[in-house]
Structures are given as structure tokens and as C-alpha cells.
Amino acid sequence: MSNYHIKHLEEYYQVYRKSVREPENFWEEVAEEHFMWQRKWDNVLSWDFTKPEVKWFEGAQLNITENCIDRHLATRGDKTAILFEPNDPKEAAEHITYKQLYERVNQFANVLKEQGIKKGDRVCIYLPMIPELAISVLACARIGAIHSVVFAGFSSTALSTRINDSDCKMVITSDGSYRGAKTIDLKGIVDEALNDCTCVETVLVAKRINSDINMKSGRDKWLQPLLDHASSDCEAELMDAEDPLFILYTSGSTGQPKGMVHTTAGYMVYTAYTFKNAFQYKENDVYWCTADIGWITGHSYIVYGPLANGATTVMFEGVPSYPDFGRFWEIVEKHKVNQFYTAPTAIRALAKQGLELVEKYDLSTLKVLGSVGEPINEEAWHWYNDNVGKKKSPIVDTWWQTETGGVMITPIPFVTPTKPTYATLPFIGIQPALMDENGKELKGNQVDGRLCVKFPWPSMARTIWGNHQRYKDTYFSAYENMYFTGDGALRDEVGYYRITGRVDDVIIVSGHNLGTAPIEDAINEHPAVAESAIVGFPHDVKGNALYGYVILKDVGETRDHANLRNEINQIITEHIGPIAKLDKIQFTQGLPKTRSGKIMRRILRKIAQGDTSNLGDTSTLLNPEVVQDIMDNVL
Ligand code: WT7
């Protein structure tokens, strides 16, 4: 019996040891017992990080949608697969059962075929968080087309770059989208993007906001009439284990976005297994991940991982602030959510609001809370733990990346004792390594270094679309025979990992290596501070000095800024030492952030360094308007 479901700490250690000593046996057992294969593999794993080349379950044939849908029909046909909660709380939620999902995915798959899409073709999906998004993703997988979902908050330039990079034949979009009280003209953005794309032959348009849009004849087609005529049976395409399933773009510190390529069998096995364990999902639980399917979190832990386990997965169209900041908690109460997975940036935004908004709702169904996307600072961790989890729901701080496909370092709830700001232990099968500046592995505990992974895991990205050399250079060249994550981490006295932030954010001050995250944590402890970001700027004596951007809480803070600056430096001195004191502190209304909530330190760094000549494309930011404001008030 493979240990598909880890239930106590001793079992974790035992299974972990097995996964390291006999990785092939371990993953073979998991794959064998919990999935539906049309043909079994000839070889579990072959790998060579110097090329790099990694193959899992070679020779196997399968279709991931048969695993996510068909095989549940007999026992879970009437169970809700996708629970759609619309932007407007007055609009009814939609419960899509596994049986209905089967029919809708197959109809959509037949439409794709009818429109000339074949196995291996790339299809760009640019949709809001409506059921058609999940369904079109699965429809592509059904026929072996490679989906490339682009987050529907991205600009037309960002969209056309991604469409062209992977040569997409089709775009699936909608007439528009709702975002809180606003509507967004998605089709207009697609039209603009397509002025620069000659590869796209067809645009399928779902109706969401009933706006009057322009349809280009011969190219644009309304989706619904096509679906109405399509059969709800569509044979699943036989896919090889290593056939690409999807491309998903992620931005690097330089250059064009990277189209990370994920393949079929390993991705399926790993996302399903991690979902089951990292959230301790039990039959009839309602699981909700607040991410957008436009990000890897949504691919792996809204669509594929949950559905592969026959789970009920919530898809939320709206935003946490509409109609007010109680919306998340209202949804938890309404749908009796058991597992809730969100990002630290959302937690901090909600923590800034009054507690009445949390206390108003019944959150007693919650069993597990998750965090992902950036290091969760101590204050946010406690707020989440105390007020949302009522100190009874473990927080799983899951560290992973677009590139890793699935969760890599995480507590297993009710199994791994949690520790604030620590992602804790490597997941089963994951072999992390911390490396020093000279490329030597730091053994033992209480060490701090660059986070690498020294052995392949099933869901790792296999290449960058169209640029294998860049894949090698970015991830496999920094350290010999290692996958380099780009993050720094420390391992504490019991072997727990704490992610300290991107190593490109490390600032050397007077020869001291300072990570941004712990300093920001310290600043955020000041009662008047809502959020902060620090960057380095050149200094005559110290090499670099620290520049802090600080957002104050919305409490009508009237105190003298000079005093506040002193107090902030006092806190830093207390937490880290005088070496980490900030030379400059700029109070600001906002920080430039990516759509996934990451602070764009690159922009802040340039402004602090007085070099605003080339800030790059700021149009894809969540809040491009704050950039000018910060520039106007630079110190
Ligand atoms: C980077 C990857 C994984 C899905 C969302 C982000 C940071 C992610 C954590 C965490 C500390 C984290 C890392 C990583 N990150 N999760 N729990 N604690 N940092 O995917 O956009 O590919 O970003 O996000 O820096 O390298 P992504």
C-alpha cells in the first residue's frame, strides 16, 4: 500500500525516508494505486540535470481529464465538482456536478475539434474566473491541445507577447468581466492584442456581461451556440506521459516572460498527492483556493489537484473587497468551506480592516488554512491564526513556484507542528539543499543559504517553451547537478525551512548579508505600519544602504514623520541590529505589485537609486498609478 494519505508525524518521516531512498518504488506505488492509466509505464524515472532532461512514467499513456472527471462518475456523479461563486453576491452560486462537468467539458472539447484544434496545438485562454475558464482548460486537456492561460488582468501587450511566444492558434475569451463594482472590456483587450498576432485563426467568445462588442467576421465566434450543438461525448485523446499539458508564463528578473512547460503524468500524480496531504482533504469537504486560474496556484490547486481527488473546489469570480471586506468570510459561511487557501497580501489587506467583518460570520467549518506566494510575516500569520482559524486550524505555509508545479515545502496539517513564518518540512519526495556562495552544500541544521533541489520530482517544469537553453541557464547552471530556485532559505535547529525571500533581493550592507523579509517583518511590527518594502541604494562607505518604503495604517495617523522614522529604526535595531537600520524612509500610499501580489522591488530599487530612465513595462502591475506617486515623493 502506498501511503497516499499521511496521518501522523512518524508516518511522515517514514514515508519521506522511503521517498528519498527508493524514489522510483515510492512514486510507482502512488501512481499505480490512485490513477487511471490506459497503458502503464516502462520506466518510472530517467533524469540528467546537466542536459537538463527529466522524464517520469515514460511509456505510460493516459488522459488527465479521465482522472479528473470520468473515473469519478460512478461514485461521485452527483457530487459538486466546481462550486462557482459569482462576483455579485446576489447572483446565485452554481453547483456543477461531476456528471455535468463531464458533459460540459466534452461539449467544449468537441467545439475545439470542430474549430480545427488538434493535439499539440496551443490555445490561449484569456477568461475571468467563470466556469468556462476551468472547463476550457479541461477541454484542451481532453483533446491534447496545450493550454496557455493568461491572467485576465494582463494588458494587451502582455497578452500578445504570450500569444506570439507560443504561437497560439486560438484565443478563448469573454465579452467582458466583472471585478467588484467595475466591468472590464476583455474582448477589447483581445482585439488590441491580436493586431500584433498573426498566428490566431479563431477567437471563441463566452458571454458574461452582455455588453455590445465588436465581432470580427470569420475570426470571432460566440461560444454558446457552438456548445449548444456539440455532443456531450468526446473520447479522451491518448497522451504520452511526457506530452505537454500546458504552458504557463512567469516573469523572471530580466527579459521576456518564460513559458514554463508542464507535462502530463508527473504533474497529475504530484498535484493530486500534494493536494490530498497538504490540505488533508476528506470526502465531502468544500475546498476553496482564492487564487485565479491564471496562476499556477489555480492550475494545480483549483483545477487539477482537487478534481483528481474528486473534491469540491470553489471558484470565486470576485475580489475580497466587494461588496465589502467581509466577502471572503461571507463565502466561507455560505458554502461551509473547510479548507481555505489564500495569499499573505490578501491576509494583510483584510487585517487592516476592522475585526467586526470577520466576527460577523460563522467560520466554524474551517479546518485548514493555507498561505502561498510570498513569505508570510509574523504579524499576518498571527492575525490569520487568531481571527480566522481561531487557533484551531493549522496554517499551511506552502512554498513552491510556477516552475515546481506543486507544493514543495509545507507543513502537513495536524501532522507537522507549525511555526510562524516557517514553511517547515520538505514534502514527500522533495530533497532540498542549501548552498553557500561558493557552491558548497551547507549540511546540518542552523544554516542559511540558497535554496536548491537535488533530485527530480514528478511535477517539475521540463523546459521553457522554445528556449531550452534559457531553462538550463536559469535553473541548472548556478550549482552543479541542482535545480536552483532563486530563493534564499534557512534551516533551523529542528530542520524546519524558512524562506527568506528571493536572493536577488539580498542587500549587502557593510559586508553584511541582509535579506529584505526579516527587516520588513520588523518594520511591520510598528503599530502604525501597514506594509513596507526595502531596497538597497549605493552608499559611499557601506557599499549599500537601505531605503524603506512604508505604508501607514488608515487610522488617521497624525504623528510626526521624523518620530515615526526613529521608532521604526529602533524596532529594526531591536529585531536585527543597528546594521539593518534604514538610511531613508519614504511614507507612501501604495507599493507597486504584480497581479499575484508580489512587491516589484526592481522598480523600487531603481527609484531609490535615482535611476528612473528604464522602469520597464509597468502596465501589467496591479496598481501602475503608484509608481509616479512614489517617484514624485522620492527622498
Ligand atoms: C516565488 C514563486 C507558488 C504559487 C504562487 C507563486 C515565493 C511562494 C512562498 C511561501 C515564501 C514564497 C518564492 C518563490 N513564494 N510561496 N510560502 N513562502 N515565499 O508562484 O509566481 O512562480 O512565485 O514565490 O519567492 O520563488 P510564482
Side-chain angles (χ1 to χ4, degrees):
M1 251 298 278
S2 76
N3 302 75
Y4 189 68
H5 187 186
I6 312 287
K7 296 186 197 67
H8 49 86
L9 193 59
E10 207 177 301
E11 189 184 12
Y12 161 80
Y13 280 113
Q14 180 203 329
V15 177
Y16 181 77
R17 275 194 297 273
K18 175 171 177 180
S19 76
V20 170
R21 283 184 198 146
E22 316 163 39
E24 300 194 20
N25 288 339
F26 173 76
W27 287 112
E28 174 156 49
E29 282 173 24
V30 173
E32 183 101 46
E33 286 171 30
H34 300 282
F35 301 91
M36 179 175 162
W37 304 91
Q38 296 299 343
R39 184 185 189 281
K40 294 274 170 74
W41 45 91
D42 303 313
N43 191 19
V44 178
L45 169 66
S46 62
W47 66 291
D48 178 351
F49 276 179
T50 64
K51 284 187 177 168
E53 185 178 87
V54 174
K55 291 181 177 167
W56 283 91
F57 308 111
E58 216 181 338
Q61 291 186 312
L62 72 156
N63 188 290
I64 196 169
T65 68
E66 289 188 316
N67 282 274
C68 289
I69 307 171
D70 305 40
R71 71 178 166 132
H72 304 310
L73 294 177
T75 52
R76 302 185 177 107
D78 295 322
K79 176 176 174 176
T80 302
I82 294 176
L83 203 176
F84 171 63
E85 171 67 24
N87 176 67
D88 180 351
K90 292 197 283 296
E91 189 181 327
E94 192 182 346
H95 292 251
I96 302 170
T97 65
Y98 274 93
K99 193 161 164 284
Q100 291 165 334
L101 186 63
Y102 172 86
E103 287 164 3
R104 291 177 68 172
V105 167
N106 283 339
Q107 283 171 333
F108 208 128
N110 282 323
V111 168
L112 295 177
K113 285 211 274 194
E114 191 185 282
Q115 297 299 319
I117 300 298
K118 291 185 293 295
K119 178 175 178 177
D121 286 344
R122 274 79 60 207
V123 172
C124 173
I125 303 174
Y126 186 72
L127 279 171
M129 281 286 284
I130 56 177
E132 285 79 359
L133 173 50
I135 290 166
S136 61
V137 159
L138 293 162
C140 286
R142 187 84 178 168
I143 65 164
I146 302 170
H147 56 78
S148 169
V149 182
V150 176
F151 172 62
F154 272 149
S155 68
S156 61
T157 325
L159 177 60
S160 64
T161 309
R162 287 161 176 77
I163 290 172
N164 285 329
D165 183 75
S166 48
D167 213 10
C168 295
K169 241 170 117 172
M170 175 186 271
V171 176
I172 303 171
T173 189
S174 64
D175 56 349
S177 65
Y178 294 117
R179 192 178 163 76
K182 287 187 295 204
T183 56
I184 295 160
D185 174 21
L186 279 197
K187 177 62 167 52
I189 298 171
V190 170
D191 288 342
E192 210 174 303
L194 293 190
N195 288 333
D196 301 322
C197 306
T198 51
C199 48
V200 174
E201 294 164 12
T202 313
V203 178
L204 296 183
V205 187
K207 230 186 191 110
R208 178 56 181 143
I209 66 168
N210 289 311
S211 62
D212 193 13
I213 56 162
N214 176 48
M215 295 289 279
K216 185 171 168 184
S217 87
R219 187 194 70 182
D220 302 349
K221 292 167 188 161
W222 288 107
L223 178 63
Q224 196 55 49
L226 297 172
L227 289 172
D228 290 342
H229 292 106
S231 151
S232 51
D233 283 306
C234 174
E235 206 178 317
E237 185 77 30
L238 213 49
M239 304 297 285
D240 289 336
E242 286 294 340
D243 277 341
L245 175 64
F246 65 85
I247 301 168
L248 186 61
Y249 287 87
T250 182
S251 32
S253 34
T254 53
Q256 291 288 317
K258 298 171 283 190
M260 304 313 305
V261 177
H262 283 282
T263 59
T264 306
Y267 176 82
M268 172 183 78
V269 169
Y270 194 77
T271 54
Y273 184 59
T274 47
F275 172 75
K276 178 77 185 167
N277 287 288
F279 298 103
Q280 292 283 311
Y281 183 85
K282 307 253 163 54
E283 193 68 44
N284 301 324
D285 281 350
V286 175
Y287 160 88
W288 179 22
C289 165
T290 70
D292 192 288
I293 293 175
W295 311 118
I296 191 70
T297 311
H299 281 60
S300 302
Y301 298 113
I302 295 178
V303 181
Y304 290 115
L307 296 179
N309 283 281
T312 296
T313 175
V314 175
M315 246 184 106
F316 175 45
E317 183 185 25
V319 293
S321 55
Y322 179 79
D324 63 36
F325 276 98
R327 186 71 192 277
F328 273 7
W329 320 128
E330 188 231 353
I331 295 172
V332 168
E333 176 182 290
K334 177 172 169 194
H335 296 304
K336 303 189 166 48
V337 171
N338 302 110
Q339 291 90 2
F340 176 75
Y341 191 27
T342 195
T345 182
I347 298 166
R348 286 194 296 267
L350 294 167
K352 269 176 79 175
Q353 312 301 318
L355 268 183
E356 330 69 83
L357 286 167
V358 190
E359 284 160 358
K360 208 169 128 186
Y361 298 99
D362 177 6
L363 307 182
S364 63
T365 51
L366 288 173
K367 296 192 282 191
V368 175
L369 303 178
S371 172
V372 63
E374 55 177 320
I376 179 166
N377 51 301
E378 191 137 6
E379 207 188 347
W381 195 97
H382 285 294
W383 186 88
Y384 199 26
N385 187 47
D386 296 353
N387 302 302
V388 182
K390 321 286 184 200
K391 297 197 168 113
K392 67 168 180 55
S393 304
I395 296 176
V396 291
D397 179 359
T398 62
W399 172 84
W400 58 298
Q401 310 177 296
T402 304
E403 295 86 338
T404 68
V407 164
M408 302 288 279
I409 303 182
T410 182
I412 295 178
F414 308 107
V415 170
T416 319
T418 60
K419 177 172 174 181
T421 77
Y422 281 74
T424 74
L425 297 172
F427 192 75
I428 307 297
I430 302 305
Q431 301 187 35
L434 295 178
M435 308 297 288
D436 75 7
E437 239 82 308
N438 309 314
K440 256 191 61 205
E441 184 176 351
L442 299 157
K443 304 272 187 175
N445 289 339
Q446 289 185 294
V447 289
D448 189 339
R450 299 181 171 214
L451 180 60
C452 292
V453 187
K454 50 184 172 184
F455 195 85
W457 63 100
S459 68
M460 63 191 294
R462 303 295 195 259
T463 189
I464 292 174
W465 184 264
N467 199 343
H468 197 65
Q469 186 61 42
R470 187 175 179 201
Y471 177 67
K472 180 175 177 167
D473 294 345
T474 312
Y475 305 106
F476 296 90
S477 303
Y479 303 99
E480 208 179 318
N481 253 316
M482 298 262 179
Y483 166 81
F484 174 49
T485 67
D487 283 319
L490 63 82
R491 193 160 51 221
D492 77 358
E493 62 288 350
V494 299
Y496 274 17
Y497 288 85
R498 180 189 187 176
I499 311 304
T500 48
R502 302 292 304 184
V503 289
D504 27 27
D505 294 334
V506 165
I507 308 166
I508 314 279
V509 179
S510 303
H512 289 78
N513 227 331
L514 298 175
T516 53
I519 304 176
E520 290 163 5
D521 271 357
I523 301 171
N524 297 349
E525 298 234 329
H526 190 290
V529 172
E531 196 171 6
S532 59
I534 58 166
V535 295
F537 71 99
H539 186 279
D540 289 351
V541 182
K542 305 192 235 183
N544 289 298
L546 300 180
Y547 190 113
Y549 297 90
V550 174
I551 306 179
L552 296 177
K553 280 186 182 152
D554 296 338
V555 288
E557 180 58 55
T558 51
R559 267 189 293 166
D560 170 16
H561 280 180
N563 273 342
L564 277 173
R565 288 191 175 96
N566 286 337
E567 289 171 17
I568 287 169
N569 271 330
Q570 187 53 38
I571 291 190
I572 295 174
T573 306
E574 282 163 19
H575 280 74
I576 296 138
I579 183 70
K581 284 208 293 196
L582 309 183
D583 277 33
K584 294 183 181 177
I585 299 178
Q586 176 177 351
F587 295 104
T588 171
Q589 296 299 315
L591 295 168
K593 288 193 180 168
T594 65
R595 299 280 177 166
S596 58
K598 260 193 267 303
I599 297 169
M600 286 294 280
R601 288 202 177 69
R602 182 178 56 79
I603 292 173
L604 294 174
R605 203 176 294 133
K606 288 212 154 197
I607 297 175
Q609 294 170 355
D611 167 22
T612 52
S613 55
N614 181 19
L615 289 180
D617 180 14
T618 55
S619 69
T620 59
L621 292 177
L622 186 66
N623 49 357
E625 69 287 350
V626 306
V627 175
Q628 190 60 47
D629 182 63
I630 291 176
M631 275 163 46
D632 292 343
N633 294 297
V634 70
L635 300 172

